Structure formats: C-alpha cells, structure tokens
Amino acid sequence: MSAETAETAEPTEPAEPTADSAEAASRRREQRGWYFYDFACSVYSTSVLTVFIGPYLTSIAKAAADADGFVHPLGIPVRAGSLFAYAVSVSVVVAVIVMPIVGAAADRTGRKKPLLATAAYTGAAATTGMFFLDGHRFLLGAFLLIVANAAISVSMVLYNAYLPQIAGPEERDAVSSRGWAFGYTSGALVLVLNLVLYTGHDSFGLSESDAVRICLASAGLWWGAFTIVPLRRLRDRHVAPSGEGAVGSGWRQLMATLRDMRRHPLTLSFLLAYLVYNDGVQTVISQASVYGSEELGLDQTTLITAVLLVQVLAVAGALGMGRLAREYGAKRTILGSLVVWTLILVAGYFLPAKAPVFFYLLASAIGLVLGGSQALSRSLFSHLVPRGKEAEYFSAYEMSDRGLSWLGPLVFGLAYQLTGSYRDAIMSLVIFFAVGSVLLARVPVRRAVAAAGNPVPERI
C-alpha cells in the first residue's frame, strides 16, 4: 500500500448492530425474565399445595370435628379428611369466574403486566397470611387456600400468554421446558430450607405447628419477592383500546372465544384432551401429601424429602423430555408420559404403609414425567393459538390447566367421603389418564397448527 493510499484510507468502523440482533437480544432478555415467574410462584405449588397445607389443614379440621369426624362449614357436613380436596375444587370455581374477565382485559388493552402483578401479589399475600393458621381455624385456612389457588391460576393465564410473543415456533418447546426447570429449581431450593427448619424446629425454639406456619408464609414472601424480576423485564404489547369494560366484556369474550374455537375444532380437541389428563395430574400432585400422611402413615419429614426428590428430578425430566420432543415430537412424548402416569397410580394403590423407600421410588417416577408433560403441553398448545388471541386462548387453556381441574379433587374427595379409603380414591384417577390419552392420540397436531394459521415446526 502506498503512503498516499494509507493516508486516505478511512478507518474501519465496527458494524452497527442490526435490528434483528437487537430484537433477538430483547427477546432473550424477556425470556429470562419470563422464566423467573415460574421461579417465583412454583414454591407455592411445591411447599404449600403439595407438601404442607393439605396435611396441616386436615389436622386442623380433625381437631375441630365433631364426634363423627365431620366439620360443618356454612352448615354443610363435610368429613374432615375431605375438606382440603373440596377447598381446592372451590378455588377452581372462583378461578373460572375471574379468568375470562382477566383474559378479556389483557387482550383488549395489551396490558398484561399490571394484571399479572395484581394476581401474583394477591396470591402471595394470601399465602403469607397462612402464618396465622392455628388452633381450630380451618375456615380461615380453607379461605386463604381458595384465594391463593385462584390467584395463581389467574396469574398463569397472563404468564402463559407471553410465550407466543417471546419465543418463535421452533424454540417454544425449549423455552417452555426451561421455564418449568426454573420453577422446579426454586421449589427444590425452598424445600431444602423447609426441611432444615421443620426437622430442626426444636433447636430453633419452635413447635412443629410454628415451623409449618413459617414454611407456608415464607412461600408467599418468596413468591412476592421474585415476581419483581418478570415485572421488570417483560414488556406489554399495546393495542388500541376498545372502550369496553373488562368486567362487562369478560364473559362475552369467553363466549366469543369458544365460538371462535369452533372454527378451530382441532385446537378445541386438544384442549379437551388436555382438560381430561391434566385433571388427573393436578389431583395427584395436590393430594399426594394427604395420601402419604393419612393412608401410608408417613411422617412430614418423609413427605418433604419425597417432594424435594420430585423437584430435583423434575428439572432433569423437563429438560430431558424437551430433548425427546425434538427427536420424536411433543405429542408422542406426552403420550408416553401419560402411560407412565397410569402406572404410577397403579403402583400407588399397592404401595405398603410405612414404607418410605417405595414412596421415594414412586416420587422419582413422578418427578421424571411431571415437568415434561406439563411443559410440552403448554408449548404444543402455543402452536395451536391464532395470532393476536393469545391471552383469551390461554385463558381457556388455563381453565383446563387449573381452572377446570375441579373434577379430579371432587372425585377424590367424594371417593374418600363415601368409602373412607384413600386407596380407592387414588385409583379413581386412572380414568383421567386413560381417556386423556385416547383423546390426545386422535388429534392430528400438524393439521391443527396449519389450521390455526401458524408455521408448522419440523417435528411436533
């Protein structure tokens, strides 16, 4: 190069970031924030719903029961051992009433974050309030459980509705699975702390009841604290306001959504299948600790350890089933998990009492299929949602996920009320997995994705 050329050559400037790269970076930031809502609220599902509140509320109800073993909320005779299952069912009814209103408000305004914050902090406050459960306060316990369980259902409508907006079609299985993995990681971490506090309550100068109430309340504080992360990172996609009130339009929107789904019958078919088999999943998870303590005679330490094992293995299970879905497709992978769920129930029926080793083996099997079956169901449904209708369709999905999962707990509670046997109650859930598998197998998912107007992934 000549001196003249060297003097006149312009220095090379770094390349400007492209719009695509900036958008990708923004999307990754939102995805990381999105994961953290699972990290925040999953401690409620694990520490509260799965481990502590069922046996604790049952013990409070039994302490307040009459000579025949019944309590009388609102004058209705309820066997004390069925109160928890019935409260879960009532919470679902409350969620069903509220979710269409929230879904309509989110879609009409585009402002999911304020609604997510309201639902999350309502649930966190109710969970924190469980610290005040003692003595014979079974009505307070049932009320707080109903509020918290309904609130988490409503918040998940909004949380799930972000998935199609922050992840492309080819990455949704992976993003959804990572969200579940984050949730199970936090659940495991908090359960370790719960285990330390519960088993060492004497050394901390606490009674067993005090330790349980602190564990319950700490889940609410955790939920509220880590909800700050998604609220800072997720962004709303604003739409033109419609001028209609959310309350007035909520049920009209639900009816419109159901009418719209009639134009997408394959999406509706998947929702029906999911409603059935997920009802079984949710009931197994919510009633497992009651089954272990009341029927199998296992102590609280064993139950905490078993659920901790579920959390640890569920992280690996969610990620592992995500990889299986990339190889075999989400539908086949979910169907395989439902076979395992059925075998788990059969094994649970024959599980001997006071045998923690066998209970741990069953917990291991649950952990390996729990996260993956739920994560893949969520990501598969996201492909079946018409663009622009994410919140209202995920409102219907959430009714299937949590909102309409009232039948399983109701059947479980009725079976126990009529027979006095938790083993009979657990076997009644097999029908949910059997029927759900048949319905899912009949859904042509590739055609369903195309019919919704979305690009069809290479494997689904």
Side-chain angles (χ1 to χ4, degrees):
M1 178 184 292
S2 66
E4 181 179 10
T5 304
E7 290 175 359
T8 58
E10 295 184 1
T12 302
E13 295 186 4
E16 291 290 331
T18 65
D20 286 346
S21 65
E23 178 63 27
S26 175
R27 188 170 67 249
R28 286 193 297 271
R29 173 181 169 82
E30 281 196 275
Q31 288 173 0
R32 288 191 290 268
W34 186 80
Y35 300 149
F36 265 92
Y37 189 67
D38 248 324
F39 191 86
C41 71
S42 289
V43 297
Y44 168 82
S45 299
T46 53
S47 290
V48 178
L49 193 61
T50 306
V51 176
F52 287 109
I53 193 62
Y56 188 64
L57 182 58
T58 300
S59 69
I60 292 175
K62 286 185 174 181
D66 59 23
D68 296 321
F70 284 81
V71 291
H72 300 268
L74 305 178
I76 302 170
V78 173
R79 191 183 290 272
S82 296
L83 178 69
F84 171 64
Y86 290 155
V88 172
S89 290
V90 172
S91 74
V92 167
V93 174
V94 174
V96 166
I97 295 171
V98 177
M99 283 191 291
I101 299 171
V102 172
D107 280 334
R108 290 179 186 279
T109 66
R111 293 176 59 80
K112 297 184 184 71
K113 277 208 296 186
L115 296 168
L116 176 61
T118 300
Y121 284 108
T122 298
T127 305
T128 305
M130 291 178 184
F131 177 78
F132 299 102
L133 298 183
D134 57 6
H136 293 176
R137 294 179 178 176
F138 70 92
L139 278 177
L140 176 62
F143 172 76
L144 292 176
L145 172 61
I146 289 167
V147 172
N149 220 40
I152 197 171
S153 297
V154 172
S155 73
M156 292 301 288
V157 170
L158 302 156
Y159 170 69
N160 287 336
Y162 274 104
L163 181 59
Q165 297 176 340
I166 65 173
E170 299 293 344
E171 60 179 343
R172 282 183 205 161
D173 286 347
V175 170
S176 183
S177 295
R178 287 190 203 111
W180 282 106
F182 262 62
Y184 286 118
T185 300
S186 74
L189 175 60
V190 173
L191 273 179
V192 169
L193 300 177
N194 291 159
L195 183 61
V196 171
L197 178 63
Y198 181 81
T199 56
H201 60 81
D202 286 334
S203 62
F204 291 108
L206 300 170
S207 68
E208 182 178 341
S209 174
D210 290 338
V212 171
R213 292 187 295 114
I214 290 172
C215 290
L216 292 170
S218 65
L221 296 175
W222 181 286
W223 184 357
F226 283 100
T227 295
I228 294 172
V229 179
L231 293 180
R232 288 179 62 88
R233 293 200 171 191
L234 292 172
R235 57 188 176 90
D236 285 331
R237 276 75 172 170
H238 292 288
V239 297
S242 68
E244 290 191 72
V247 174
S249 66
W251 286 100
R252 289 195 298 274
Q253 182 65 65
L254 175 60
M255 294 301 103
T257 300
L258 294 177
R259 286 194 297 271
D260 189 70
M261 281 188 175
R262 292 171 61 184
R263 299 192 299 109
H264 302 282
L266 299 180
T267 300
L268 196 57
S269 296
F270 173 80
L271 260 185
L272 177 61
Y274 180 69
L275 182 154
V276 174
Y277 71 73
N278 185 65
D279 208 347
V281 171
Q282 295 298 326
T283 307
V284 171
I285 298 307
S286 67
Q287 305 303 319
S289 59
V290 174
Y291 184 74
S293 62
E294 299 295 323
E295 182 67 34
L296 303 181
L298 302 174
D299 59 35
Q300 192 74 61
T301 301
T302 300
L303 297 177
I304 297 172
T305 309
V307 175
L308 177 60
L309 182 61
V310 170
Q311 302 307 300
V312 172
L313 291 177
V315 175
L319 298 176
M321 286 182 65
R323 285 192 289 270
L324 286 175
R326 288 196 294 272
E327 181 69 25
Y328 300 105
K331 177 184 172 181
R332 290 182 180 178
T333 307
I334 295 169
L335 284 170
S337 75
L338 297 182
V339 173
V340 177
W341 275 110
T342 303
L343 296 175
I344 286 170
L345 288 179
V346 174
Y349 178 82
F350 292 104
L351 211 62
K354 299 187 181 301
V357 173
F358 290 105
F359 193 72
Y360 289 146
L361 290 174
L362 205 64
S364 300
I366 290 175
L368 290 174
V369 294
L370 175 61
S373 59
Q374 293 178 317
L376 293 178
S377 296
R378 178 172 63 187
S379 62
L380 180 55
F381 181 72
S382 73
H383 292 285
L384 310 181
V385 177
R387 189 162 304 189
K389 299 188 176 183
E390 293 85 2
E392 62 180 89
Y393 269 60
F394 267 107
S395 178
Y397 174 87
E398 192 63 24
M399 285 186 182
S400 300
D401 186 5
R402 298 174 191 268
L404 291 184
S405 294
W406 55 270
L407 185 58
L410 181 61
V411 167
F412 189 93
L414 285 173
Y416 177 75
Q417 178 137 344
L418 294 173
T419 68
S421 169
Y422 283 107
R423 293 186 187 271
D424 292 339
I426 204 74
M427 279 304 293
S428 69
L429 303 179
V430 169
I431 189 67
F432 291 97
F433 295 105
V435 174
S437 296
V438 172
L439 293 175
L440 178 59
R442 294 169 59 87
V443 178
V445 292
R446 299 185 70 83
R447 279 174 42 206
V449 175
N454 293 322
V456 182
E458 182 179 348
R459 288 198 181 277
I460 191 169

